[in-house]
Amino acid sequence: MHHRTAVRVVCLTLAAAGLAACTVSRSNDSSARSSAEEAPPAATSDSAGDPYYPEDGNPGYDVTAYHVKISYDPPKQALRGDTLVTAKASTSLPEFNLDLQGLEVSAVTVGGEEAKFTREGDHELVITPAEPIAQGDTFETRVQYSGTPESAEAGSLGENGWQRSSSGGAFAAGEPHSATSWYPANDTPRDKATFKLDARVPNGWSVVSNGLESPATPGNDGWTTFHWNEPNRVATYLTTVGIDKWTFERSTLPSGVPVVSAYAPGAEGKKSVESRLPEIIAFLESKFGPYPQSAAGGIYINENIGFSLETQGRPIYAAWAEEPVVVHENAHQWYGNSVTVDQWKDICLNECFASYAQWLWDEAKYGANLDEQYRTEVARSTGHLWTGKLYDMGAGNEFTAVYEKGPLALHALRREIGDEAFNKVLKEWPTRYRDDNASWSDFEKLVTETSGKDLTAFFDAWFRGDAQPADEFLYPGPLRK
């Protein structure tokens, strides 16, 4: 995700200075401490156990696949949905929950048998199958529903979830919530699954989503169905749908990965920005390793929302997004999408690294001197910059310090452990945890392993602290004049 204010502050900074790589390490003692700190609370019947969002997600099963079918009438803002959720039970399930906001459920089946269901709270769909599901069984839940989708909530960067566009279409985007405003899901980043979408809209409208595109199928009723399939596992908040009168551009990366970019009415001028995508992905591959997604591209909306978002393989860009944001959101395809946070307090693993990727891009492409940029940013900083924590920052504070303090911290880490170790870490992290979840503790362990250095105090000062680091950590190695 890229915050609009942060984009403007950081991007101006980047253009003026240079970029470098970052490094991190830690000691065995701090690794043990961090592992204890990050042990998740026991999940309750309607919680995946994230302390920041205790009502999100559900335990007892692992979703392996979503097949979402929707029909949407833009003038009426009316949605009809028919979603199949395939999951494996990790315990016996006499009942289980899915997350779904607002929409009216008309029928639920489990394994083809009619199931009882009730609604609890704002988003819990409680399902009682005809027979309890045995531990280890794979089961299919079909939910049929309809209504007018609503946004999930107003987050710190703006509305989350289903949003109506100025052209009369609609799109879904938001972090940490978005998916459950338009389909039932186990809404936690810990439960990643494949995602398939069949979206039916009136002729003249079109649909863009994640993954691989199949040819649209026109009906005899004035409606057309669009087909998208993401074969890589994806966290729910990284799924999307965009319904509009899109202008599509299609191409292929040198590696053979298909590229589909879509432009809403009024956003066609962004084609020049998106034209650098192959170069950007090639650069990021040089830093992070092979591109990890099934497809690439971008979704350019003509809306001044407060953020752009790294929806898997095909980011959503607000009207103000420019080249640095394309770098940022595509860096997330490794840091955040392929390797996904274990808990939301680990969000620096996403945002600090995507923000620092902008620094690296400016260093490589524009000759930015990152050491000078770093010193300039530290010199002009105020107390507000330092009070934000980068790890375990508290619910509602995830998307604050990570954009400005985050790249400073990573540049200091790079200078602390050296380019060789840092560059090795940058590639090893998305290789070791590809298509998985990982925590900040896991990252510190990797850096310790790679650098052989005890950086307990360094990590405490930069990532766990809420004050300006002492000079020994603020100006490591060549940063010290």
Side-chain angles (χ1 to χ4, degrees):
M1 179 179 280
H2 217 313
H3 181 200
R4 182 176 188 178
T5 302
V7 169
R8 290 181 171 169
V9 172
V10 175
C11 295
L12 289 174
T13 300
L14 299 181
L19 287 158
C22 354
T23 16
V24 190
S25 356
R26 87 169 285 156
S27 73
N28 293 332
D29 288 343
S30 67
S31 295
R33 176 197 61 191
S34 180
S35 296
E37 288 175 355
E38 296 187 6
T44 62
S45 61
D46 61 351
S47 172
D50 193 309
Y52 284 14
Y53 300 98
E55 295 181 356
D56 286 4
N58 304 279
Y61 62 90
D62 172 42
V63 178
T64 57
Y66 293 102
H67 186 178
V68 180
K69 298 179 181 180
I70 62 169
S71 294
Y72 184 72
D73 188 336
K76 296 180 180 179
Q77 302 180 50
L79 181 144
R80 297 189 65 84
D82 188 343
T83 291
L84 190 68
V85 182
T86 304
K88 183 175 182 179
S90 53
T91 187
S92 176
L93 295 174
E95 70 173 32
F96 60 95
N97 292 17
L98 287 168
D99 300 305
L100 180 65
Q101 180 196 344
L103 298 164
E104 182 177 348
V105 176
S106 57
V108 177
T109 62
V110 178
E113 299 289 330
E114 184 177 347
K116 297 179 180 178
F117 63 90
T118 59
R119 305 298 292 269
E120 294 182 1
D122 292 334
H123 60 81
E124 295 291 343
L125 174 62
V126 184
I127 299 170
T128 305
E131 298 290 338
I133 300 162
Q135 181 178 353
D137 281 1
T138 295
F139 61 101
E140 292 184 335
T141 304
R142 181 184 180 189
V143 182
Q144 295 172 276
Y145 52 98
S146 62
T148 299
E150 305 170 356
S151 60
E153 79 274 305
S156 60
L157 304 184
E159 293 291 328
N160 280 281
W162 192 273
Q163 301 180 55
R164 188 166 166 82
S165 58
S166 55
S167 60
F171 62 94
E175 187 176 7
H177 304 117
S178 175
T180 56
S181 63
W182 63 289
Y183 70 92
N186 190 20
D187 201 20
T188 169
R190 286 182 178 170
D191 197 355
K192 299 166 68 170
T194 61
F195 178 79
K196 184 177 181 180
L197 173 67
D198 300 316
R200 178 175 169 269
V201 292
N203 291 346
W205 297 87
S206 51
V207 180
V208 64
S209 185
N210 308 87
L212 304 171
E213 180 185 31
S214 296
T217 53
N220 298 320
D221 55 358
W223 290 61
T224 298
T225 303
F226 293 80
H227 309 282
W228 296 89
N229 178 35
E230 174 52 278
N232 290 348
R233 298 195 313 148
V234 56
T236 50
Y237 78 93
L238 296 171
T239 64
T240 189
V241 61
I243 298 163
D244 218 313
K245 298 179 179 180
W246 301 104
T247 297
F248 287 97
E249 285 194 332
R250 298 173 176 88
S251 60
T252 305
L253 295 177
S255 62
V257 171
V259 179
V260 180
S261 297
Y263 305 86
E268 296 87 353
K270 293 296 182 179
K271 291 180 181 180
S272 60
V273 175
E274 183 73 350
S275 69
R276 296 197 73 178
L277 179 64
E279 180 187 1
I280 289 169
I281 289 179
F283 169 76
L284 294 172
E285 286 184 315
S286 75
K287 295 296 182 182
F288 304 149
Y291 183 68
Q293 304 302 341
S294 67
I299 302 171
Y300 287 82
I301 59 175
N302 192 28
E303 315 298 323
N304 278 310
I305 60 173
F307 60 88
S308 293
L309 183 66
E310 63 269 22
T311 41
Q312 189 152 308
R314 195 161 288 114
I316 292 177
Y317 297 107
W320 43 264
E322 298 291 345
E323 176 191 306
V325 186
V326 179
V327 175
H328 181 107
E329 303 304 346
N330 280 281
H332 276 307
Q333 305 310 315
W334 289 261
Y335 281 81
N337 294 17
S338 181
V339 185
T340 305
V341 294
D342 183 63
Q343 295 188 358
W344 286 107
K345 65 182 178 180
D346 301 314
I347 198 66
C348 184
L349 292 169
N350 297 10
E351 301 301 342
C352 295
F353 286 86
S355 298
Y356 193 63
Q358 297 173 237
W359 286 44
L360 295 172
W361 172 261
D362 276 9
E363 180 182 47
K365 300 296 180 177
Y366 302 113
N369 183 322
L370 296 191
D371 287 351
E372 287 304 316
Q373 175 174 321
Y374 175 94
R375 294 188 193 101
T376 299
E377 288 300 301
V378 170
R380 69 168 58 149
S381 66
T382 64
H384 177 72
L385 173 69
W386 304 110
T387 56
K389 295 173 66 177
L390 295 175
Y391 168 71
D392 202 6
M393 63 289 292
N397 299 317
E398 299 95 327
F399 306 107
T400 52
V402 288
Y403 298 109
E404 297 174 64
K405 183 179 176 182
L408 292 173
L410 291 182
H411 190 64
L413 284 169
R414 172 185 176 179
R415 291 307 185 217
E416 177 70 24
I417 68 171
D419 277 2
E420 182 178 355
F422 178 71
N423 290 334
K424 185 176 180 180
V425 167
L426 282 186
K427 286 187 176 179
E428 177 61 23
W429 177 257
T431 299
R432 181 175 297 192
Y433 293 102
R434 181 168 180 161
D435 191 36
D436 207 347
N437 297 81
S439 69
W440 183 255
S441 170
D442 294 323
F443 183 77
E444 291 186 342
K445 291 174 185 175
L446 173 62
V447 179
T448 300
E449 171 190 317
T450 304
S451 70
K453 297 186 70 172
D454 178 356
L455 296 181
T456 306
F458 187 100
F459 280 112
D460 283 349
W462 270 106
F463 294 91
R464 302 171 189 272
D466 56 4
Q468 180 172 308
D471 278 3
E472 63 179 303
F473 308 124
L474 195 61
Y475 298 106
L479 289 174
R480 186 177 297 108
K481 280 190 171 183

